[in-house]
């Protein structure tokens, strides 16, 4: 049922919890969060595994259209010795039966990007917290629709951007907040990861071993490759933007004002297919998305942020973070830090690990053991934990709907900039002015959020 009695202009909103219905704010805490999963492919199963490890989570129902995903998920439950969830399948609207259940508090959405917006909006209208994988929507209007629905229903929406919780990133955030870098001037980040083996496979293995894509492939190669054929822009900006937003208080005293994007030629994917399968038709496709997409954003407080999308060429993994201020700099690529007047030698790099050990974030210090063995070096535990604790304690999520759409809308904005000849694009203010008074609440301490 749509909840129309939403909260506006209250003392709670002033404290930074701007969207939560009275039912959630004043309801009793529960010992267990009841989850429904929409999409249980490769990424969805990662989230399933996180849920199965917790005593405060009950996975009530799952939804997927493909038997390989459902059967793989069943095996995870059997290995964990947990009761099998109710399954929903058979059509694109199957998830609507899942979100209609009264015994589900929140949903985890891990479907292909084109389905996220509708599934998230329907879930919020059904009174569910939403934890959604990137991307939030494909158009600027999609993002406004998500914000409007969250505000009207009072239900929180959180993009499950795990890199916000990466250990070195959080140590750098701790250093930023303690003033080690001085006043922040410039930031860099992105998605610099060879995904060619993700975008093509043999139809049997999740990753690599072939050059199939689309209906003949399995997992992400079924749908993600097509985005690189059809669209030209930064189609995965959140790994870079999400963490860097926290460094300069975006939506909380600062905001992005505009951006401009550039695209290189597209050669990497065709060359990859030709090398593995000479003469294969996929080698001759017109891949629209450039191999390197570069986006520069301006901030209201004068900082600049450079994002790079680089997934079609051979390269070692690196998100390319750079945090630079009036007193020092961190460079992710060479794993180095330099703080003027404090580094070992003038004008020479220190090993970043030395600084990050000293300024390890209190959240990681407290929950390091719990995160051992979790996906992506432990950061999957932290982002999943933040969402679950928000639901369990009936609080706003630390990455809220405004943060979520801000890091995601870079995709259609960068596409529009490139298509219009690299013209600057005005950045929407999804907070409608609230950014001027909101305070940054992300990972201020070891509270679990």
């Amino acid at each position: 049922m749509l909840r129309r009695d939403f909260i506006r202009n209250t003392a709670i909103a002033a404290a930074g919890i701007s969207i939560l219905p009275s039912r959630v704010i004043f309801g009793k805490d529960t010992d267990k969060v009841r989850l429904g999963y929409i999409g249980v492919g490769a990424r969805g199963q990662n989230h399933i595994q996180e849920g199965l490890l917790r005593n405060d989570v009950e996975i009530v129902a799952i939804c997927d259209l493909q038997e390989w995903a459902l059967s793989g998920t069943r095996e995870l439950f059997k290995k964990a010795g947990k009761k099998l969830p109710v399954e929903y399948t058979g059509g694109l609207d199957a998830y609507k039966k899942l979100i209609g259940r009264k015994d589900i508090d929140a949903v985890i959405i891990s479907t292909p990007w084109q389905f996220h917006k509708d599934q998230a909006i329907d879930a919020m209208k059904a009174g569910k917290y939403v934890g959604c994988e990137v991307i939030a929507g494909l158009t600027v209007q999609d993002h406004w629709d998500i914000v409007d629905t969250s505000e009207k229903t009072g239900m929180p929406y959180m993009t499950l951007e795990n890199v916000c919780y990466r250990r070195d990133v959080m140590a750098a955030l701790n250093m930023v907040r303690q003033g080690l870098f001085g006043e922040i001037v410039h930031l860099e980040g992105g998605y610099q990861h060879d995904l060619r083996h993700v975008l093509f496979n043999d139809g049997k293995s999740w990753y690599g071993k072939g050059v199939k894509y689309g209906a003949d492939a399995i997992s992400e190669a079924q749908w993600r490759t097509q985005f690189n054929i059809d669209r030209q822009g930064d189609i995965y900006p959140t790994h870079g933007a999400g963490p860097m937003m926290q460094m300069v208080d975006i939506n909380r005293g600062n905001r992005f004002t505009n951006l401009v994007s550039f695209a290189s030629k597209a050669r990497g994917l065709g060359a990859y297919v030709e090398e593995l399968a000479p003469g294969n038709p996929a080698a001759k496709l017109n891949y629209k998305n450039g191999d390197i997409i570069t986006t520069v954003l301006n901030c209201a407080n004068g900082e600049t942020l450079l994002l790079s999308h680089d997934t079609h060429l051979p390269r070692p993994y690196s998100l390319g973070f750079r945090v630079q201020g009036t007193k020092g700099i961190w460079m992710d690529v060479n794993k180095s830090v330099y703080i003027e007047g404090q580094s070992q030698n003038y004008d020479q790099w220190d090993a970043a690990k030395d600084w990050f050990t000293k300024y390890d974030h209190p959240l990681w210090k407290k929950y390091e053991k719990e995160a051992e063995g979790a996906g992506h070096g432990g950061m999957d535990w932290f982002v999943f934990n933040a969402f679950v604790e928000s639901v369990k304690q009936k609080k706003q999520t630390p990455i809220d709907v405004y943060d979520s759409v801000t890091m995601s809308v870079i995709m259609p904005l960068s596409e529009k900039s490139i298509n219009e000849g690299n013209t600057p694009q005005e950045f929407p203010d999804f907070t409608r002015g609230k950014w001027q008074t909101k305070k940054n609440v992300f990972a201020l301490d070891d509270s679990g959020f």
Side-chain angles (χ1 to χ4, degrees):
M1 180 180 295
L2 181 64
R3 285 153 174 78
R4 302 184 183 278
D5 53 341
F6 54 95
I7 300 296
R8 289 197 183 194
N9 300 320
T10 64
I12 293 175
I17 306 178
S18 58
I19 354 177
L20 281 177
S22 57
R23 178 185 69 82
V24 171
I25 292 172
F26 302 111
K28 295 180 180 179
D29 285 351
T30 180
D31 293 331
K32 187 165 288 191
V33 172
R34 300 164 301 177
L35 294 180
Y37 283 69
I38 304 173
V40 289
R43 187 60 181 143
Q45 289 182 28
N46 292 154
H47 290 304
I48 289 283
Q49 289 173 307
E50 294 298 329
L52 289 173
L53 291 172
R54 300 179 67 111
N55 294 324
D56 59 350
V57 166
E58 178 185 357
I59 302 176
V60 175
I62 61 174
C63 177
D64 206 288
L65 305 187
Q66 301 187 81
E67 178 57 28
W68 68 265
L70 293 169
S71 62
T73 303
R74 289 184 209 116
E75 289 302 312
L76 295 177
F77 277 83
K78 292 176 182 177
K79 289 179 181 178
K82 297 289 184 74
K83 177 183 176 182
L84 290 174
V86 176
E87 295 181 4
Y88 294 92
T89 188
L92 292 177
D93 288 342
Y95 74 93
K96 293 182 179 180
K97 294 181 180 179
L98 182 149
I99 62 175
R101 294 179 65 107
K102 303 294 185 182
D103 58 349
I104 289 178
D105 304 307
V107 297
I108 302 286
I109 298 174
S110 304
T111 52
W113 301 335
Q114 60 265 37
F115 303 122
H116 287 182
K117 187 258 295 188
D118 288 341
Q119 291 169 346
I121 286 176
D122 289 341
M124 286 187 285
K125 288 180 177 179
K128 316 300 183 188
Y129 271 71
V130 171
C132 187
E133 275 297 327
V134 298
I135 298 291
L138 302 184
T139 68
V140 174
Q141 187 58 50
D142 285 349
H143 293 78
W144 275 114
D145 291 345
I146 290 169
V147 170
D148 291 343
T149 303
S150 184
E151 289 180 342
K152 289 177 181 178
T153 62
M155 299 312 303
Y157 174 106
M158 177 176 172
T159 287
L160 300 174
E161 180 43 73
N162 56 1
V163 180
C164 290
Y165 290 92
R166 205 173 87 174
R167 193 165 196 165
D168 58 346
V169 168
M170 294 196 76
L173 175 63
N174 193 23
M175 292 175 68
V176 167
R177 287 175 169 164
Q178 295 194 41
L180 271 296
F181 297 107
E183 182 179 354
I184 301 302
V185 174
H186 178 73
L187 301 163
E188 294 183 14
Y191 196 31
Q192 301 178 152
H193 187 188
D194 182 356
L195 292 184
R196 294 174 299 171
H197 65 292
V198 174
L199 298 175
F200 300 95
N201 59 44
D202 61 0
K204 299 177 182 178
S205 306
W206 285 1
Y207 303 123
K209 299 183 179 180
V211 295
K212 293 181 179 179
Y213 76 98
D216 294 331
I218 195 172
S219 192
E220 291 172 75
Q222 287 185 327
W223 56 270
R224 190 168 180 169
T225 313
Q226 196 66 43
F227 279 90
N228 293 281
I229 297 171
D230 295 339
R231 307 185 69 143
Q232 180 159 248
D234 188 334
I235 60 175
Y236 208 97
T238 65
H239 275 351
M244 296 296 98
M245 286 169 55
Q246 306 300 337
M247 307 281 186
V248 288
D249 301 322
I250 296 300
N251 294 331
R252 295 172 170 87
N254 198 4
R255 66 175 291 257
F256 293 137
T257 56
N258 59 9
L259 66 73
V260 62
S261 294
F262 301 85
S264 76
K265 59 188 176 182
R267 296 292 185 270
L269 297 182
Y272 174 77
V273 173
E274 182 64 25
E275 182 176 350
L276 291 184
N280 188 287
K284 304 299 182 183
L285 288 173
N286 179 25
Y287 295 96
K288 190 173 181 180
N289 208 22
D291 292 334
I292 309 291
I293 305 294
T294 304
T295 300
V296 180
L297 299 100
N298 283 312
C299 300
N301 293 344
E303 305 90 348
T304 52
L305 171 60
L306 185 148
L307 296 178
S308 177
H309 182 267
D310 172 4
T311 65
H312 302 167
L313 301 169
R315 61 158 299 128
Y317 174 86
S318 170
L319 299 188
F321 289 122
R322 172 175 170 178
V323 177
Q324 190 166 12
T326 56
K327 293 183 179 179
I329 181 174
W330 165 44
M331 293 284 286
D332 174 35
V333 174
N334 62 345
K335 303 185 185 307
S336 299
V337 167
Y338 178 75
I339 304 296
E340 191 172 53
Q342 298 189 49
S343 286
Q344 293 183 20
N345 297 297
Y346 172 73
D347 207 26
Q348 293 183 21
W349 294 104
D350 294 335
K353 66 179 181 179
D354 297 336
W355 286 93
F356 290 165
T357 298
K358 182 178 180 180
Y359 291 97
D360 196 17
H361 195 282
L363 195 61
W364 265 94
K365 287 182 180 179
K366 184 174 181 178
Y367 293 106
E368 178 179 10
K369 294 298 182 183
E370 287 84 345
E372 283 184 358
H376 295 92
M379 57 189 178
D380 280 0
W381 182 89
F382 284 95
V383 71
F384 188 85
N385 180 71
F387 180 70
V388 168
E389 286 295 329
S390 299
V391 179
K392 187 165 63 174
Q393 299 182 35
K394 298 175 177 60
K395 293 183 177 180
Q396 180 57 266
T397 53
I399 299 172
D400 66 18
V401 67
Y402 306 114
D403 303 323
S404 299
V405 295
T406 295
M407 67 177 86
S408 173
V409 78
I410 294 168
M411 175 186 178
L413 290 176
S414 70
E415 184 177 35
K416 192 167 186 287
S417 175
I418 293 168
N419 289 341
E420 294 180 355
N422 315 113
T423 57
Q425 302 294 316
E426 183 178 352
F427 209 98
D429 175 15
F430 292 108
T431 75
R432 297 181 174 94
K434 291 192 290 288
W435 66 271
Q436 298 175 75
T437 55
K438 288 181 66 177
K439 302 298 182 182
N440 198 336
V441 299
F442 180 81
L444 288 176
D445 50 33
D446 63 354
S447 64
F449 294 94

